Amino acid sequence: MTSESREELIRTSDAPERATLLELLFDLAYVAALAVTSVQLSVDATPTGAVQLLLLLMAIWWTWTITAQLTDFYHPERRPVQVMITGTMFGTILLAGTIPFAFGSLGWLFASAYVALHVTRGVILLSVLRARHVRARAARFLFWFVVSAIFWMLGAFATDWARFAWWLAAITIDYVASGLRYPTPWLGRVPRKQYEQASAGHLGERYQQFTILALGDLLLMPTLRIGTTEFTPERFVAFLITFVTTLLLWQIYVFRAGAFLQVAIVQRPGRISRAAPYTHFLIVAGIVSSAAGFDLVIGQPTGDTPTSWVAIIVGGPILFLLGRTVFEYVVFRVVAWSRLAWMAVLIAIAPAVTFLPPVFTIATTALVLCGIAISDAIRSHRGSRTLPDVTSLRS
């Protein structure tokens, strides 16, 4: 590969702002991974199962967000970048397939796939890049993924909670190192200006697209369940409620989403690129939990609601709202107090809904989400008092 072609890997002004078709196909692999995670949560709706799945979801999400950063910094239509995207897509399917057995017989495969994805990406980048500053960036990422790989592989050959402890240390390293801008011996941290140079229009759109696709999990899970169980009026009502809840979560997410993107493009792309992975993880985790709750309720819409089911059904929207609220604060430095109040309502009613049938539990949750959507609409009407003007953020 010539020096000129190597330099072309860096995103240039002619790079597409919109996601490429390969990136959209890549996202579909993650829709499958989220569906598998939701199914597993509904099968193992226990505190232990939920905590283990949360850790696995963190690994799967981190693979997506690092790849999104890859296509944001490097040209997504250059051949080496496309090879890395397709390789990551295959690895993601492999990760998803091992989720039910990751804390059992296939822990070695889950850890090996995760490590191989990130280490191989770093090796490829170092082999094709020439400019010193971009090689240093790739080296920083690779260094920390090699460090975390040690813990991933130690956990792969441990058992039970020892495996969880090793993997928790590994994923913590991945998340914290990114938050600290990958401080690396002799190289220092990733310069802030590299985050500011990010194509925020592309990156912001990638997070929005992924979230909308993830919301499809809320339609997929109940549709599959109602299509494979005996039809009853109670199940049909539960199905309708899940559909309405999906629309409400969509409405809550897209509330002023265009303004978010405008701020990201015009003013502070670095803030978006560094905060979005963490805030959107909460959103995605909330979607996975909600989808698992829908699956459980349609399977058994009547009778008492177990405490573990309540945690999944109510916890999903809470995580979603928390991520959405923190993201809005990061961008605008505005606290959505009405949304926080509704979240408090959800937490307060959680103990009471254990005495209701599951179908009434999701109905209650949907009513709270409806209240949030109405509150957001009221805030939008008072936009001049709740949302800073974009030009005021020039600093």
Side-chain angles (χ1 to χ4, degrees), residues 21-367:
L21 294 179
L22 181 58
E23 289 177 280
L24 295 178
L25 180 62
F26 173 76
D27 287 349
L28 292 180
Y30 282 86
V31 173
L34 296 184
V36 173
T37 308
S38 296
V39 169
Q40 186 61 22
L41 180 57
S42 66
V43 170
D44 187 9
T46 64
T48 298
V51 169
Q52 290 177 345
L53 281 171
L54 181 65
L55 191 151
L56 300 179
L57 181 61
M58 291 178 71
I60 290 172
W61 168 250
W62 204 243
T63 304
W64 182 89
T65 195
I66 291 296
T67 308
Q69 292 179 21
L70 174 82
T71 57
D72 192 60
F73 191 78
Y74 304 100
H75 202 303
E77 294 185 340
R78 298 296 181 257
R79 184 63 63 185
V81 177
Q82 291 180 334
V83 169
M84 286 182 279
I85 293 174
T86 53
T88 304
M89 190 190 313
F90 173 76
T92 299
I93 296 299
L94 191 60
L95 288 174
T98 59
I99 283 175
F101 316 102
F103 280 92
S105 60
L106 294 183
W108 66 271
L109 184 55
F110 184 92
S112 298
Y114 181 86
V115 168
L117 287 174
H118 295 292
V119 172
T120 301
R121 182 198 309 110
V123 171
I124 291 175
L125 286 173
L126 286 179
S127 67
V128 300
L129 296 172
R130 180 173 296 264
R132 181 177 179 181
H133 72 287
V134 291
R135 282 178 59 86
R137 175 190 174 94
R140 294 183 184 100
F141 279 64
L142 178 60
F143 173 83
W144 282 105
F145 278 120
V146 168
V147 171
S148 71
I150 298 171
F151 294 86
W152 280 110
M153 298 314 298
L154 286 172
F157 298 100
T159 58
D160 299 327
W161 286 104
R163 174 175 296 176
F164 180 84
W166 284 118
W167 284 1
L168 178 61
I171 200 65
T172 300
I173 290 171
D174 290 336
Y175 276 62
V176 172
S178 176
L180 296 177
R181 293 185 288 121
Y182 295 101
T184 305
W186 300 291
L187 294 176
R189 305 185 186 208
V190 176
R192 291 184 183 273
K193 67 178 182 179
Q194 289 189 9
Y195 291 98
E196 296 296 333
Q197 291 170 351
S199 176
H202 173 263
L203 193 61
E205 181 179 343
R206 293 292 290 122
Y207 278 102
Q208 290 180 4
Q209 287 175 339
F210 185 86
T211 303
I212 298 304
L213 285 174
L215 284 170
D217 193 29
L218 299 179
L219 299 175
L220 176 63
M221 293 293 291
T223 301
L224 290 175
R225 174 62 68 177
I226 200 169
T228 55
T229 54
E230 180 184 358
F231 180 86
T232 65
E234 294 82 6
R235 284 197 174 99
F236 183 68
V237 170
F239 181 76
L240 290 178
I241 295 172
T242 62
F243 179 73
V244 172
T245 302
T246 301
L247 292 179
L248 289 170
L249 289 175
W250 169 80
Q251 178 60 42
I252 292 169
Y253 178 76
V254 302
F255 172 69
R256 283 182 177 154
F260 285 165
L261 191 57
Q262 182 186 19
V263 171
I265 294 173
V266 178
Q267 299 299 332
R268 295 179 175 177
R271 176 182 292 181
I272 296 295
S273 62
R274 293 179 62 191
Y278 303 97
T279 57
H280 278 68
F281 170 71
L282 295 174
I283 292 172
V284 170
I287 292 172
V288 168
S289 181
S290 296
F294 293 168
D295 186 53
L296 290 169
V297 173
I298 292 180
Q300 184 182 320
T302 58
D304 293 335
T305 306
T307 303
S308 59
W309 288 25
V310 172
I312 293 172
I313 295 170
V314 178
I318 289 175
L319 286 173
F320 185 95
L321 294 169
L322 180 61
R324 180 64 174 77
T325 302
V326 173
F327 186 56
E328 183 171 350
Y329 175 76
V330 168
V331 175
F332 295 116
R333 290 293 189 262
V334 169
V335 178
W337 293 109
S338 61
R339 199 175 297 142
L340 292 176
W342 283 112
M343 289 169 59
V345 171
L346 272 176
I347 295 172
I349 66 175
V353 296
T354 57
F355 300 101
L356 298 175
V359 66
F360 283 100
T361 301
I362 61 171
T364 303
T365 303
L367 286 174

